[in-house]
Amino acid sequence: MKIESDISQGLPVFHMVGLLSSEVREARERVRTALKNIGHPLPYGRITISLSPADRKKEGARFDLALAVALLASMNIIREENIREVLIVGELGLNGDVKGIHGVLPIIIMAKQQGFRYCMVPFENAAEGSAVDDIHVVPVRNLLEAVEYLNGKTELFVINRSVTGNTGSDKILNDGTGDMSEIYGHTMAKRAAAVAAAGKHNLLMIGPPGAGKSMLASRIPGIMPDMSMEERMEISGIHSICGILREGGLVTLRPFRAPHSGITLPALVGGGTHPKPGELTIAHGGVLFFDELPEFHPRVLDALRQPLEEKKVRVVRNGGNYEFPADCLFVGAMNPCRCGFYPDRNKCNCSIADIRKYLGRISGPFLDRMDMCIDVPRQSVEALEERKTVSVEESSGRIKERIDRAVQIQFQRNNGKYNSQLSVEQVKKFCILDDAGNRLIHNAYQKFFLSMRSYYKIIKTARTIADLEGSEDISREHLGEALGYRIGSGKYNTIF
């Protein structure tokens, strides 16, 4: 984005052109007043500001500081050659203060890619700038500071990560989500969660209220592989755009997003008049958790079908097409009926018709996107007391060690892909079954009326189980476990 300014003789008028939104047009008054209040009022005459490219919509208040600097250059208060290699962003207050904005991190990354040597940003966003290597980031508190620095009259603290090294932005900013050792029992559910985290397989948990489904889901990010620097930069950029990057530092733990069941479609997948990322994109690289799955609007659930397959969200508007990343692990939790206690008829009085109506809010095509479906039963008091006094539950760190080894095996074999992301051709190449395995999957395909999607998801899950066990080959046992995750325990067959 380039800003040009011209001041010429004529009737006093201030024109701004370049397909501008209302908030950019309002910058005219903010800039005029800020310049006056720092002692550089605009001269009388014809003032024209052009923001190019002219056919691209400009939105937001991040152009204010650049507009003011461009005008000061036209007034010969700032030398033009001093700003040629500087990218400038920031919102202006009427007194000339420079206010923080959203999305500074991806802006600085773009500036570096386009060859800028310096990037002038609001002081509030200085920590975000410290995350990018090999570019000088100049944080300013007000417009007068910016003018003095650009004229060489004052020295400001310039952030250059290649020189300063770790500036503190690498510290962990995310709240912990707990440890697996805090969950007593549920050995099979924890095993399924480990398989889901190792291969990035979508997971659905069914069980009564208070059984521990939400607790288990919240601990899955803690057993997922550590993020690479590229992932951290990408996820931090998304959070920066959305204004949720806390303290400006890089995200160091995988995101965990658990939206309320009343979430709207644009809030989930992104959109609006000026499209912005939704929860699905904010969860990119981490876990998107839907608790009480049938309580979500069916239209919202069905909107997830394509993103769960393609790992991206496409939003089409008259002004252009937008594509947001959405490569996250989906985890859902639900009760088997409205009261939550089916099939225990001592507690559940729901009729079969009521149960089917409740579960009918979840469509078959959506359920087909779930790689794994597990039963999370209620633990007895005796079992809980025994666990607390006799055994020690396995920690997230121990589970993560196995997952890290399995992911390393996958990435080496699959060229950097998780098993769940394998294409049909790659499944045929990397997921070869023996005769016993072929007979098992063929019989299951016929008996349980599996779809082709389900057929390949079972094989991919079996490949992940084999990787967790350190096995090069997929055995009949691995395939049987994956099939069990797919078809469930059979407890709810009368209602599904």
Side-chain angles (χ1 to χ4, degrees), residues 227-291:
M227 292 186 290
S228 65
M229 180 54 71
E230 291 74 16
E231 285 182 294
R232 291 170 62 186
M233 294 293 287
E234 182 182 22
I235 294 170
S236 298
I238 293 170
H239 289 199
S240 175
I241 290 170
C242 297
I244 59 173
L245 188 61
R246 288 181 287 178
E247 298 182 22
L250 288 182
V251 174
T252 54
L253 295 180
R254 293 190 178 273
F256 178 79
R257 306 294 295 184
H260 186 265
S261 58
I263 189 172
T264 62
L265 186 58
L268 175 64
V269 301
T273 306
H274 307 302
K276 295 180 180 179
E279 286 289 331
L280 190 53
T281 299
I282 297 174
H284 176 70
V287 174
L288 178 65
F289 176 54
F290 274 23
D291 198 10

Side-chain angles (χ1 to χ4, degrees), residues 191 194-195 198 399 402-403 405-406 409 463-471:
R191 165 72 172 178
V195 173
I399 298 173
R402 295 197 303 272
I403 291 174
R405 289 194 294 268
I409 292 171
R463 178 68 270 176
T464 300
I465 295 170
D467 291 338
L468 280 169
E469 300 296 329
S471 173

Side-chain angles (χ1 to χ4, degrees), residues 4-9 13 15 46-50 70-71 74:
E4 299 171 293
S5 66
D6 178 78
I7 301 176
S8 58
Q9 294 182 348
V13 65
H15 278 309
R46 186 179 184 84
I47 300 172
T48 305
I49 296 284
S50 173
L71 285 169
S74 295

Side-chain angles (χ1 to χ4, degrees), residues 14 53 109 121 169 192 213 244 273 345 399 485:
F14 193 154
I109 294 173
V121 302
S169 65
K213 303 184 294 295
I244 59 173
T273 306
R345 284 306 187 179
I399 298 173
Y485 291 139

Side-chain angles (χ1 to χ4, degrees), residues 340-493:
F341 294 105
Y342 181 86
D344 184 355
R345 284 306 187 179
N346 293 323
K347 296 182 179 179
C348 176
N349 295 318
C350 302
S351 68
I352 293 297
D354 289 339
I355 297 172
R356 285 177 174 162
K357 181 179 178 181
Y358 177 70
L359 298 178
R361 294 172 62 86
I362 307 174
S363 68
F366 176 82
L367 288 173
D368 204 37
R369 265 71 176 181
M370 298 297 103
D371 301 52
M372 305 168 63
C373 177
I374 62 170
D375 181 26
V376 184
R378 180 173 176 267
Q379 296 287 293
S380 66
V381 174
E382 292 77 15
L384 292 177
E385 292 299 326
E386 182 182 357
R387 286 280 175 176
K388 285 192 289 185
T389 58
V390 176
S391 66
V392 177
E393 299 291 341
E394 192 174 26
S395 67
S396 292
R398 292 288 299 277
I399 298 173
K400 186 176 179 298
E401 288 176 4
R402 295 197 303 272
I403 291 174
D404 286 342
R405 289 194 294 268
V407 170
Q408 187 176 7
I409 292 171
Q410 291 175 64
F411 283 7
Q412 290 176 351
R413 181 186 60 236
N414 306 339
N415 194 22
K417 286 185 176 181
Y418 287 91
N419 287 330
S420 63
Q421 299 168 339
L422 295 177
S423 65
V424 173
E425 291 301 319
Q426 289 172 321
V427 169
K428 294 177 181 178
K429 182 178 179 181
F430 301 127
C431 305
I432 300 172
L433 303 179
D434 57 18
D435 292 339
N438 276 317
R439 285 195 299 271
L440 177 61
I441 191 67
H442 290 164
N443 291 337
Y445 184 80
Q446 297 293 335
K447 181 177 180 179
F448 298 106
F449 301 99
L450 300 177
S451 66
M452 287 300 295
R453 180 185 289 110
S454 300
Y455 175 86
Y456 284 111
K457 282 184 178 295
I458 291 170
I459 296 176
K460 293 176 187 178
T461 305
R463 178 68 270 176
T464 300
I465 295 170
D467 291 338
L468 280 169
E469 300 296 329
S471 173
E472 294 185 8
D473 301 320
I474 301 175
S475 69
R476 192 177 188 277
E477 288 72 24
H478 300 147
L479 195 62
E481 184 179 348
L483 183 61
Y485 291 139
R486 182 65 189 181
I487 63 177
S489 63
K491 183 189 295 186
Y492 309 108
N493 286 353

Side-chain angles (χ1 to χ4, degrees), residues 87-160:
L87 186 140
I88 303 171
V89 291
E91 179 183 349
L92 281 179
L94 297 183
N95 62 350
D97 286 345
V98 179
K99 302 178 180 179
I101 61 172
H102 295 165
V104 164
L105 180 57
I107 289 173
I108 296 174
I109 294 173
M110 179 207 67
K112 176 185 173 182
Q113 292 171 346
Q114 295 189 358
F116 286 93
R117 294 181 58 201
Y118 295 86
C119 192
M120 182 173 285
V121 302
F123 193 84
E124 294 177 30
N125 302 116
E128 290 183 50
S130 68
V132 185
D133 297 329
D134 300 323
I135 186 169
H136 300 275
V137 178
V138 184
V140 293
R141 291 182 173 86
N142 53 63
L143 180 55
L144 194 58
E145 257 190 13
V147 174
E148 295 287 318
Y149 175 81
L150 292 171
N151 282 333
K153 294 182 179 179
T154 186
E155 290 291 330
L156 297 176
F157 175 67
V158 178
I159 301 170
N160 183 2

